Amino acid sequence: MKDLEAQEFKYLRDLICEKTGIFFDDEKKHYLIRRLENRMRTLGCETLLDYYRFLKYDASGKELINLFNVVTTNETYFFRNIPQLMAFKEEVLPLIISRKRRVRDYELKIWSAGCSTGEEPYTLAMLLLEVIPDIYQWKIQILGTDINTQVLERAKKGIYDYRSIREMPSQYTLQYFHFKDKKYFIKEKIKDMVSFAALNLVDTEHMKSVRSIDVIFCRNVLIYFNPESCKKVVNAFYDSLNKGGYLFLGHSESLYRITAIFKLVKFKNSLVYMKE
Ligand SMILES: C[S@@+](CC[C@H](N)C(=O)[O-])C[C@H]1O[C@@H](n2cnc3c(N)ncnc32)[C@H](O)[C@@H]1O
C-alpha cells in the first residue's frame, strides 16, 4: 500500500512539474497532499491516482487552473529586498533611461514575472515615478503576470492588509495609499501604471508573446522549479529582453549551473543579470 501511494505521488508530482515547473520532492509529499485535499474532496477523488487521472484526462483544462491556484506559494510584500530595489532605482534605471534618451526612445517595459498579488509591480511603479521626472512623456508599461488566477484578481483590486506593507518605508504608504477599515487601498495613479495577465512561465508559446522588455523581475519564483524548467524559463527571458536589458532574480537565486548566457553585473547594491 505504501509503495503504491509513493508511486501515485510520483505520477502526480511529475505532472505538476511538467505543467508548472514546480517540483515537490519526497519530503514535501504530505505538504502537497494537504494542498490538494479540498480539490480531491470536491471532485470525489479518493486517491492521488484518481486525481492524477482526472487531471490527465480533463479535456476542458479547467482543473489545471484549480491545480495552479492550490500548488503555488504566493508570499510577497511591498518593497521586498530593498538593496535590490535600490540597485534598480539608483543604478539600473538611470542607465537605461539615459541610453534611451540619447536615441529619443521614450518607451520602457518592465515585467514582474510571478507577481503574485501585485506588491512587486506596484513597488516598481512607485520607484519609476521617482526616477523619471518627465514620466508622462514616456510610454511606460509595467506588466505583472502569474500562473495563479486568484492572486491576479487580488492584484487588480489593489487592496492590502498590514502584512503587505510591513516593510514599506512610511513615506510611500502615506503618499500612495488610502487607509480605511484596517485596509490599505492603492491609489489609482499607481494602479493605472500596471497591467496584469495570466501567464505560465513554462508555456513556451505564450512566452514568445512577451517581447522588447527592458527589465524583468522574477524573484522567488524559480526557487520552486526543477533545474530543467529553470533553464527553459531563463532562456525565454533572454529572448524577451532587449539587448542591454536586465534580469533580477531573488537575492538567494542564481543562474550558476543553469546557464551562462547572461552577464552577471555587480552594482553597488546588488548583483543583476544582463543581456549583452
Ligand atoms: C513567492 S511568489 C513571489 C512573488 C514576488 N515575485 C516576490 O518576490 O515577492 C511566487 C509566485 O510565482 C508564481 N508562479 C509559480 N509558478 C509559476 C509559473 N509556472 N508561471 C507563472 N507564475 C508562477 C506563483 O503563483 C507565485 O505567485
Side-chain angles (χ1 to χ4, degrees):
M1 181 63 193
K2 273 213 145 75
D3 284 351
L4 183 63
E5 209 188 67
Q7 191 53 48
E8 293 181 11
F9 165 70
K10 284 191 173 129
Y11 284 148
L12 197 53
R13 71 117 176 263
D14 288 350
L15 183 66
I16 293 172
C17 190
E18 178 197 324
K19 301 290 182 190
T20 67
I22 301 169
F23 183 73
F24 290 90
D25 60 27
D26 292 350
E27 278 82 69
K28 298 238 178 77
K29 179 176 144 189
H30 293 289
Y31 171 76
L32 176 64
I33 293 173
R34 265 201 316 280
R35 285 186 168 209
L36 297 176
E37 264 166 6
N38 265 341
R39 289 308 313 150
M40 290 174 63
R41 209 174 305 119
T42 308
L43 297 166
C45 296
E46 284 179 6
T47 63
L48 290 179
L49 191 60
D50 291 342
Y51 187 58
Y52 168 79
R53 288 196 176 121
F54 190 97
L55 273 171
K56 190 110 180 130
Y57 302 108
D58 168 33
S60 74
K62 283 190 184 142
E63 188 50 29
L64 267 185
I65 295 171
N66 292 321
L67 176 79
F68 295 162
N69 290 347
V70 295
V71 297
T72 50
T73 301
N74 311 111
E75 164 67 5
T76 186
Y77 45 93
F78 286 95
F79 283 79
R80 186 174 196 171
N81 199 299
I82 290 182
Q84 279 191 323
L85 296 171
M86 289 308 106
F88 171 68
K89 177 186 156 184
E90 293 172 2
E91 302 178 273
V92 168
L93 263 184
L95 271 177
I96 296 178
I97 297 289
S98 64
R99 191 169 67 212
K100 284 185 178 262
R101 280 192 201 283
R102 275 200 298 275
V103 293
R104 297 181 189 279
D105 168 10
Y106 295 103
E107 284 194 25
L108 183 67
K109 267 178 146 180
I110 314 281
W111 179 15
S112 166
C115 65
S116 187
T117 36
E119 288 87 331
E120 182 175 84
Y122 287 139
T123 298
L124 301 177
M126 294 175 206
L127 298 177
L128 281 186
L129 281 176
E130 289 183 326
V131 174
I132 316 177
D134 59 343
I135 196 158
Y136 296 106
Q137 302 201 24
W138 285 68
K139 185 175 173 217
I140 306 274
Q141 286 186 57
I142 305 173
L143 175 65
T145 64
D146 205 284
I147 194 175
N148 181 321
T149 50
Q150 286 171 344
V151 291
L152 286 172
E153 285 315 306
R154 288 172 52 199
K156 286 178 200 162
K157 289 199 177 101
I159 305 171
Y160 297 96
D161 56 24
Y162 178 74
R163 262 187 73 79
S164 286
I165 63 126
R166 65 189 187 269
E167 297 276 325
M168 180 157 59
S170 58
Q171 78 257 28
Y172 295 97
T173 322
L174 290 170
Q175 200 174 352
Y176 295 122
F177 291 82
H178 296 293
F179 181 65
K180 199 179 160 209
D181 301 332
K182 297 191 179 156
K183 296 278 182 203
Y184 297 84
F185 294 70
I186 199 150
K187 289 190 179 169
E188 294 301 317
K189 178 180 177 172
I190 298 296
K191 230 176 167 183
D192 289 346
M193 291 176 69
V194 183
S195 56
F196 292 99
L199 191 155
N200 182 352
L201 296 173
V202 296
D203 179 344
T204 315
E205 280 311 303
H206 199 170
M207 289 289 274
K208 285 184 186 156
S209 66
V210 194
R211 285 291 180 266
S212 312
I213 303 290
D214 295 296
V215 184
I216 299 175
F217 274 76
C218 183
R219 300 187 301 165
N220 310 299
V221 178
L222 299 179
I223 30 164
Y224 301 102
F225 283 30
N226 70 340
E228 294 79 52
S229 309
C230 275
K231 190 168 183 157
K232 182 169 153 182
V233 173
V234 167
N235 282 333
F237 284 157
Y238 188 85
D239 294 337
S240 294
L241 278 171
N242 288 329
K243 221 166 150 239
Y246 292 90
L247 168 65
F248 285 79
L249 297 179
H251 77 289
S252 61
E253 297 166 306
S254 135
L255 295 183
Y256 178 63
R257 287 173 195 254
I258 302 285
T259 175
I261 47 174
F262 284 94
K263 179 180 177 188
L264 187 58
V265 184
K266 193 172 182 308
F267 287 103
K268 192 164 50 76
N269 292 294
S270 180
L271 294 169
V272 188
Y273 290 97
M274 188 186 87
K275 173 172 174 173
E276 281 188 285

